[in-house]
Amino acid sequence: MSSRISSPADSAGSSVREALVAEALAADAALAAAEARRTRAYAALGQYGLTRATEHRSSVRASDMAMREIASEVAAVARLSDRTVQTHIGRALQLVDDYPAVVDAWEAGALTRAHVRIVLDAGAALPEERRPEFDTLAVGLAAQLSPGRLRSRLAALAEKLNPTTLTERHQRGRETRCVRVVPGVDGMSDLIATLPTVLAVGIYDRLTLQSRAVIDARTVGGPDPQVDRTTAEPVQGQGATASAVDERTTDQLRADILADLLLAAAPVADPTRSGDGPGVLGEIRARVQVVVPALTMLRPGDENLDPAELVGHGPIDAETARGIAESTTIPWDRVVTHPVTGAVLFTDTYQRSSAIDRHLRARDRRCRWPGCAVPAVRCEVDHTVDWALGGTTRVDNLAHLCQRHHSQKQFTRWKVRQRAGGILEWTSPSGRVYADEPLPYAPAVRFLPDDPSPPDDEAAPF
């Protein structure tokens, strides 16, 4: 039998490791306490907004506008979306009101944000009168389990405490169905649909079967000898087909078929259909707002210097932009910009349309509320000074606002004035001022303003 005697080096290494672990745990506890404190602060903001709305008018619209006003104030300072801040406030109110024990444990460093999010998700289906009991039981489980193991335990606990049937809860859950876009990188995004599980699984299964049918069709006859595999192009004059070189995977085919169906097909449930004739839903086409620099179209190899832009979402590759330009039947607006500042100087088109609208779309490109990225094509043109108050219909008194922020301008205490160059100066209810400037276009040839001549007696910088 032998035993190993620890050396001084081993003891020193163990002490360093223990110190590092202790430091990491202390940092985690401090972060948890700060996040809990932030949650309490957001909840206090929400409660202030609700109280203020109740003091004036008790309508749902007044409460919503009061919450928007508070959220916009915080978002403008933190340079966030006011929608995001309003969501944070709503969650904070629910946590502080319904799960006080969980928030206390979070602030003490016993729980992480992941634990708290799982508690909030698991308890969402419970009626308010059952949440205090769930709060007490959940905090005991959360302190002992990892987030991964906690999820299934809390799901089972919530099921036991829930007085309603699964059918009743599914009927409520159906009210949350929606579609949303989550921006990604490299010109890609996630299109997420929240649907009843049966429909979601059915859609995925149909897409899978259609994808496999495409794969089977291209492999029935084996490789096509008439295709040049070095270039993946049909040999000219020999009748080769594009399907012979289709190497898309099942995942890629599912995505392509889904996009094709949504962009080109007509829905079966069309309330505008009359008799045997088609309805109008199938005639509706998608709208996107794209800005394509002329030199990027002509020199795609230099696209990184001044990439095309899908307004509200970010850069897109030159090939996609060129495909849109070649396929659309809608006339493009030509935008002439200042070579130094990038400001819009002039717009025209090859087809007669509203000059003001063209100019505003080219200048604004997005909603002009601070931090909002909704494209101008989905916005409303708003009079900065209301028409009813003597405002004129000129480009220096007009700007694009999305429906949400158009309402906020009208029904909250935010104020706005338009300065030269289309700059909107927003003043929040607390008096803070934020300037929203039109995003300048990158000049194809960059000029710099002349520097003032140095005085004759100034020493040379070398």
Side-chain angles (χ1 to χ4, degrees):
M1 182 176 180
S2 62
S3 61
R4 183 176 183 276
I5 301 175
S6 299
S7 66
D10 290 337
S11 299
S14 178
S15 299
V16 171
R17 182 175 64 252
E18 291 176 1
L20 291 174
V21 170
E23 175 64 21
L25 293 176
D28 286 341
L31 176 60
E35 289 175 333
R37 189 168 64 251
R38 177 176 178 266
T39 296
R40 294 189 191 278
Y42 271 62
L45 281 170
Q47 192 58 54
Y48 169 79
L50 293 175
T51 302
R52 181 180 173 275
T54 303
E55 291 173 351
H56 291 78
R57 289 177 296 176
S58 57
S59 68
V60 174
R61 183 182 184 87
S63 298
D64 182 57
M65 286 300 167
M67 294 295 283
R68 289 192 193 184
E69 185 176 285
I70 292 292
S72 297
E73 184 83 49
V74 176
V77 177
R79 296 179 298 281
L80 296 171
S81 163
D82 60 292
R83 292 178 179 85
T84 299
V85 173
Q86 189 170 351
T87 300
H88 290 334
I89 290 176
R91 287 176 179 166
L93 278 170
Q94 188 176 11
L95 273 171
V96 171
D97 291 344
D98 296 341
Y99 307 101
V102 170
V103 176
D104 288 343
W106 190 16
E107 195 166 23
L111 303 180
T112 66
R113 177 192 288 189
H115 289 93
V116 175
R117 174 60 66 86
I118 290 171
V119 171
L120 193 61
D121 291 343
L126 290 173
E128 291 186 10
E129 62 270 16
R130 292 297 180 94
R131 288 179 184 173
E133 183 181 359
F134 182 77
D135 178 37
T136 302
L137 297 174
V139 74
L141 288 173
Q144 304 172 25
L145 300 173
S146 67
R149 293 185 176 183
L150 179 64
R151 186 181 300 277
S152 59
R153 295 287 295 275
L154 287 186
L157 175 61
E159 195 67 38
K160 292 178 181 178
L161 294 176
N162 204 319
T164 60
T165 66
L166 184 58
T167 298
E168 292 171 324
R169 277 177 277 142
H170 176 66
Q171 292 300 323
R172 288 202 304 265
R174 285 178 59 88
E175 300 300 318
T176 67
R177 60 191 187 276
C178 64
V179 178
R180 56 199 181 277
V181 176
V182 179
V185 296
D186 299 330
M188 304 296 288
S189 292
D190 293 326
L191 177 68
I192 301 175
T194 299
L195 298 168
T197 302
V198 172
L199 295 182
V201 172
I203 290 170
Y204 188 83
D205 181 68
R206 187 178 186 224
L207 291 173
T208 301
L209 293 175
Q210 290 175 327
S211 302
R212 289 174 181 170
V214 173
I215 293 174
D216 291 343
R218 74 190 184 200
T219 57
V220 167
D224 191 335
Q226 300 179 9
V227 174
D228 183 350
R229 295 294 174 182
T230 62
T231 62
E233 293 289 342
V235 177
Q236 294 295 325
Q238 296 182 2
T241 61
S243 61
V245 295
D246 187 353
E247 297 180 351
R248 290 175 292 175
T249 66
T250 302
D251 281 339
Q252 293 167 343
L253 281 166
R254 272 193 290 254
D256 293 346
I257 293 171
L258 175 66
D260 190 30
L261 289 172
L262 292 179
L263 289 173
V268 175
D270 188 347
T272 66
R273 179 180 297 173
S274 59
D276 296 332
V280 302
L281 295 188
E283 301 300 321
I284 297 175
R285 292 294 176 257
R287 295 185 307 165
V288 293
Q289 186 176 352
V290 180
V291 176
V292 187
L295 291 183
T296 298
M297 295 286 287
L298 298 174
R299 298 201 299 257
D302 295 333
E303 64 176 319
N304 286 1
L305 298 177
D306 194 8
E309 178 193 6
L310 180 63
V311 176
H313 300 277
I316 59 175
D317 62 283
E319 182 179 354
T320 299
R322 187 179 297 104
I324 294 173
E326 292 173 351
S327 63
T328 184
T329 58
I330 299 174
W332 286 76
D333 291 339
R334 182 164 60 99
V335 181
V336 181
T337 61
H338 192 285
V340 175
T341 65
V344 176
L345 298 178
F346 177 72
T347 62
D348 70 1
T349 185
Y350 296 108
Q351 184 170 309
R352 185 172 60 191
S353 63
S354 170
I356 289 180
D357 285 350
R358 291 201 308 272
H359 184 96
L360 291 173
R361 280 197 306 269
R363 185 195 70 183
D364 294 344
R365 289 189 274 176
R366 54 172 174 75
C367 171
R368 297 297 307 282
W369 186 278
C372 187
V374 174
V377 292
R378 298 212 309 269
C379 294
E380 302 164 350
V381 177
D382 170 68
H383 287 78
T384 306
V385 177
D386 290 349
W387 171 264
L389 300 178
T392 58
T393 305
R394 296 160 45 97
V395 293
D396 55 5
N397 189 51
L398 296 171
H400 283 91
L401 293 177
C402 66
Q403 188 176 32
R404 173 187 177 89
H405 292 129
H406 197 175
S407 298
Q408 282 181 232
K409 171 180 176 287
Q410 189 173 2
F411 296 109
T412 69
R413 294 176 297 166
W414 280 80
K415 305 298 181 186
V416 63
R417 73 184 185 96
Q418 186 163 166
R419 292 160 40 192
I423 298 173
L424 296 190
E425 188 175 87
W426 294 90
T427 303
S428 74
S430 64
R432 291 187 175 91
V433 177
Y434 306 94
D436 185 86
E437 301 183 11
L439 185 65
Y441 289 82
V445 179
R446 299 179 182 275
F447 299 91
L448 296 177
D450 293 334
D451 292 327
S453 301
D456 294 339
D457 57 353
E458 181 177 321
F462 51 81

